[in-house]
Amino acid sequence: MDRAKKKVLIGKYGVHQKDTGSSRVQIAVLTERINELSEHLEAHTKDDHSRRGLIGLVGKRRKHLNYMRLHDKDAYDKILKELKLRK
């Protein structure tokens, strides 16, 4: 992911322009990276090192989502809807 994409995500999901640590921003950035890696793995099915990285990113995102679900249910529901994480 390049800096421009990351800056756009921070601007969209952050509380302020320099907000890089909130769970909302972290979930958005991780989701973008997960989507990019998923596309890569569709083309390169035997790339096990990237697959392991993908599994780690999914675990990090899961932890941030669990935190949000416990501490701010409304924001959790909103971010799930915006990022289309649940059906």
Side-chain angles (χ1 to χ4, degrees):
M1 173 188 317
D2 59 346
R3 287 183 181 192
K5 272 189 188 178
K6 199 169 191 177
K7 208 168 201 174
V8 169
L9 289 173
I10 290 169
K12 184 174 180 181
Y13 294 102
V15 178
H16 51 81
Q17 196 60 30
K18 302 237 181 217
D19 181 16
T20 58
S22 68
S23 290
R24 291 175 50 96
V25 173
Q26 292 295 315
I27 291 167
V29 169
L30 287 169
T31 300
E32 183 66 29
R33 288 181 60 199
I34 287 168
N35 292 339
E36 288 176 1
L37 258 180
S38 296
E39 289 176 19
H40 169 78
L41 287 170
E42 285 177 8
H44 304 91
T45 55
K46 296 189 179 208
D47 188 356
D48 291 330
H49 290 87
S50 292
R51 190 173 313 279
R52 177 167 161 64
L54 173 66
I55 291 169
L57 293 175
V58 170
K60 281 184 184 181
R61 183 177 69 180
R62 179 78 255 151
K63 287 179 185 179
H64 282 288
L65 285 168
N66 286 340
Y67 175 85
M68 280 192 73
R69 189 183 70 222
L70 291 174
H71 292 90
D72 193 358
K73 183 73 169 137
D74 295 332
Y76 171 77
D77 293 334
K78 185 177 177 183
I79 199 149
L80 286 182
K81 191 173 184 181
E82 288 176 4
L83 295 174
K84 299 174 185 154
L85 295 177
R86 304 275 180 270
K87 298 192 178 194

